[in-house]
Amino acid sequence: MFDLMTAAASAADAPPAWLQFLPFVGMILIFWFLIIRPQMKRQKDHQAKIGGLKRGDRVVTAGGLIGKITAVRDDEVDVELAQGVKVKAVKSTIGDVLTPTASND
């Protein structure tokens, strides 16, 4: 009789099943707000910069080259690195668009 009462008491003391998943939900929320959400915001900002490229913008490529855009096409741009030195670059490799105050010209 005592064993039956002990088993019933221990079953009543067990936490609900949803409570066991609460730490996992907390970890997912932490990852979302600290890692995933900021990365999505940076990617959205970069896409906006890429979409707004125009002739005459000074840019920095992902490789660290600084130049001026001379032509813009669908997926690529022509970048003039020095006078008479032009290269084609894929738009997604443009790392940043320099502000006019950051230019040395």
Side-chain angles (χ1 to χ4, degrees), residues 1-14:
M1 181 78 173
F2 182 71
D3 291 333
L4 183 61
M5 291 175 71
T6 308
S10 66
D13 292 338

Side-chain angles (χ1 to χ4, degrees), residues 24-96:
F24 295 114
V25 171
M27 285 189 295
I28 290 171
L29 287 174
I30 288 171
F31 276 116
W32 175 260
F33 284 107
L34 294 180
I35 297 172
I36 297 171
R37 192 167 167 248
Q39 178 62 30
M40 287 178 16
K41 185 179 183 317
R42 274 192 301 271
Q43 186 176 12
K44 184 178 177 183
D45 292 343
H46 185 257
Q47 289 296 330
K49 279 184 185 181
I50 296 296
L53 289 176
K54 60 188 179 301
R55 187 171 186 252
D57 284 347
R58 290 182 47 86
V59 295
V60 178
T61 65
L65 300 174
I66 299 174
K68 189 186 324 183
I69 294 180
T70 58
V72 179
R73 289 181 288 288
D74 291 336
D75 292 331
E76 57 186 35
V77 293
D78 287 343
V79 180
E80 185 176 27
L81 301 175
Q83 189 168 351
V85 180
K86 293 183 182 180
V87 294
K88 288 184 182 183
V90 178
K91 276 188 176 181
S92 61
T93 63
I94 301 297
D96 198 8

